[in-house]
Amino acid sequence: MKFKAIPNEHVCTDNVSLLSMFKEDIKIHTLGFQHQNMVLPNQSFTKVDPMDKGDTEYIIDFGKEYLGHIEFELEAEMGTIFDFFLFEGLHQDGRIEHTFSLNNSLRYIARNGRQVYRSYIPRGFRYMLLTIRNFSNPCKIFRIKVDVATFPTGNIGVFSSSDYQLNQIWEISKHTIRMCSQDTIIDCPAYEQALWTGDSYNISLMNYYTFGNYDLVRRCLRLISKSIYRSPLPESHVPSGWQNVLTAWSILWMMACKEYYRYSGDVEFIKEIYPELKLTVQRFKEFINEDGLLEIAAWNMLDWAPMDTEHNIVTHQNALLVDALRQSAYLASIIGEDEDENNFRNQAENLKQAINNHLWDEVDMVYVDSIHEDGTKSKTRSVQTNLIAFITGCAEGRRRKYVEKYIENPPGNFVQIKSPFVLFFYYQALMSLEKNDLVLDNIRDIYGHMLEHDATTCWEGWELIEGDFSRSHCHAWSAAPTYVFGVLFLGVKPLEPGFTKVEISPQLNGLKWIKGSVPIPQGKINIYCKDLGDYVDLRITLPDQVEAQIKAPTNNTKVLVNGQHYF
């Protein structure tokens, strides 16, 4: 392989991003229709005349956030500069939400005549600020487009209902997942475009209800597994030059392996991945201290919130590991590793006991965030910690009753959830408690706010909700409504691995009608449910080889399955 140095004349030494951000706006012009030709699929063009003073700028709205290669065709004199600055959001007053921590830009210097260019790397954006500089004669722009470069997938998962807002929430969530699917699941199209291990756990479950891309999930799990040969535990994101462990993310990889098997039924992959899974369990065992708790110096966060987790003994990590050990035991049983199964289950039970011995505050009746290095218990109380203790089954008996109250009605003095990532687990907990109304109220509040502010994809965090700049307008860990609607409304859950047996329990949850499709390895399940007043009309179609256990929303329901009366 031969390498050549890039000639200096082909190296851009100007910072296009800063030039696009920090400049003086001389005048805003009203544009005639011919200026639309640059983005219309016609044979015409946009003619751009040089200004008497200053450069010419266009803000182009592509309508949604996209991830793809920029391509354009233009005619210009040699030396004309075309600067492209890409961003995700505009404020209500028209101000650009600049991506200060990202150099999301491109400079093209024209040669003489008509020419076409396509960018080498895909970029994520909704808006394009095009600045034309250094020209004395008119130029022509024939087309500017983005060739979307996402994982190829069919439009299989569908949801619609009598509630327009919920329909729009589904659509922006689904589009978010698509824009965060390349050769791996990525966190966001604009910034890192990285496979973050913990993010991919949530996103995989959302993917099963939208696109059913099992091969994409399998590739991600395999890539993550190999990082344990470089680091003590599966790394926070791969592949990467940053050798980093985020403990909860390592644990979520273990859980994602089990969920993949649950939805796909792919036992051969479990056999393939099992050596790394077993090694991960063994590595975690090395971090169990004399009190039986997981104690590790690593990146120990869970949420973008002021939790007290910058310590070596963190409650949410211990609780997640309990569940991961149980799920690893299940996978061991599937492939006949009976001794491992027993060992993993015993480790899970011992860790659960240690959590309840050392991480519960009997005075305040709450799970604490952490134990500090001096041995004192954290004074911080958070919804997140108690939520994780609940969904992992670590909270039992009267303790569970206390935690249920914290979930259903979070106390004001608790640290509150601050990212849609943790909302995913919050929704799971509320659905298990049959508090569907609280789930939908929260979704309408959080995601409705995004829609109100012109979101076409789901935001990473709370920043825009609280009036500040957001780091990412498109972040797939935030697309929880896709999973929630598949479970809460359509009621589709695998009872046996790979959907060989499935539960279908649609719920209208106060709506007049719902319909949708859920992808499964055998094809898809179509559901239509409508309240006709005197009775509920429920129609289901599914592959013949899939055994269905159907629960009607009411006793007065007429059920048709594949065109035949069910009962």
Side-chain angles (χ1 to χ4, degrees), residues 11 29 33 66 73 83 86 90 176 185 195 198 200 215 236 264 300 318 357 360 410 418 437 443-444 453 456 476:
V11 176
H29 297 266
F33 184 81
Y66 289 105
E73 182 176 1
D83 281 346
L86 310 169
L90 281 173
T176 300
I185 292 168
L195 167 55
S200 68
D215 45 356
S236 62
S264 71
N300 291 337
N318 278 269
N357 286 342
W360 173 262
K418 294 285 284 186
D437 55 335
I443 287 176
R444 286 189 172 103
H453 290 80
T456 63

Side-chain angles (χ1 to χ4, degrees), residues 72 74 80-82 84 106-111 115 117:
F72 50 84
L74 53 87
T80 303
I81 295 173
F82 295 84
F84 297 84
L106 166 68
R107 168 164 286 187
Y108 180 82
I109 302 177
R111 64 177 184 270
Q115 51 213 278
Y117 179 82

Side-chain angles (χ1 to χ4, degrees), residues 261-425:
Y261 175 68
R262 178 188 175 208
Y263 281 85
S264 71
D266 186 355
V267 69
E268 292 304 315
F269 179 75
I270 299 306
K271 292 177 181 178
E272 174 192 336
I273 211 79
Y274 187 76
E276 287 79 23
L277 183 64
K278 181 176 180 178
L279 180 57
T280 301
V281 174
Q282 292 170 340
R283 295 278 182 81
F284 267 115
K285 191 174 182 179
E286 296 173 9
F287 292 100
I288 300 299
N289 66 17
E290 59 185 12
D291 290 327
L293 292 170
L294 173 64
E295 181 174 0
I296 182 171
W299 187 6
N300 291 337
M301 63 84 71
L302 178 69
D303 192 11
W304 301 131
M307 298 173 65
D308 188 13
T309 58
E310 294 183 7
H311 303 282
N312 296 344
I313 302 174
V314 177
T315 304
H316 77 260
Q317 292 175 173
N318 278 269
L320 284 171
L321 185 55
V322 169
D323 206 20
L325 288 168
R326 291 194 194 112
Q327 296 186 24
S328 298
Y330 169 75
L331 293 179
S333 72
I334 293 300
I335 60 174
E337 297 287 348
D338 297 336
E339 184 177 352
D340 288 346
E341 177 193 0
N342 291 331
N343 288 338
F344 297 169
R345 291 195 188 282
N346 288 336
Q347 289 179 46
E349 188 59 33
N350 291 338
L351 182 56
K352 174 183 170 183
Q353 187 63 45
I355 290 170
N356 283 286
N357 286 342
H358 300 287
L359 295 170
W360 173 262
D361 187 320
E362 188 66 22
V363 176
D364 290 347
M365 296 297 177
V366 66
Y367 287 97
V368 300
D369 272 6
S370 60
I371 294 178
H372 295 185
E373 279 61 43
D374 63 2
T376 60
K377 290 182 178 179
S378 171
K379 299 299 182 183
T380 301
R381 280 65 176 118
S382 68
V383 175
Q384 296 89 331
T385 292
N386 289 273
L387 169 65
I388 298 300
F390 175 83
I391 65 172
T392 57
C394 291
E396 294 180 327
R398 68 187 183 95
R399 294 184 181 184
R400 179 181 173 89
K401 294 299 181 182
Y402 278 105
V403 173
E404 285 181 9
K405 294 177 182 178
Y406 305 149
I407 293 171
E408 293 178 22
N409 187 21
N413 63 329
F414 276 36
V415 174
Q416 304 297 307
I417 295 171
K418 294 285 284 186
S419 74
F421 173 73
V422 178
L423 281 181
F424 181 87
F425 303 102

Side-chain angles (χ1 to χ4, degrees), residues 495-526:
L495 293 177
E496 298 291 343
F499 286 93
T500 54
K501 184 176 182 181
V502 60
E503 175 184 310
I504 305 175
S505 52
Q507 293 292 326
L508 287 165
N509 293 298
L511 304 186
K512 294 181 180 179
W513 59 268
I514 58 171
K515 61 180 178 180
S517 300
V518 175
I520 61 174
Q522 301 87 341
K524 63 177 180 177
I525 298 173
N526 299 321

Side-chain angles (χ1 to χ4, degrees), residues 132-176:
I132 308 171
R133 314 180 195 273
N134 194 39
F135 68 114
S136 55
N137 292 309
C139 60
K140 299 175 182 178
I141 304 175
F142 292 88
R143 60 186 168 93
I144 299 176
K145 67 175 185 176
V146 55
D147 286 335
V148 176
T150 59
F151 188 83
T153 186
N155 186 36
I156 303 174
V158 175
F159 175 82
S160 60
S161 73
S162 57
D163 188 310
Y164 179 77
Q165 185 187 51
L166 294 180
N167 298 343
Q168 293 300 105
I169 290 170
W170 162 272
E171 291 299 331
I172 68 170
S173 300
K174 181 179 179 181
H175 187 64
T176 300

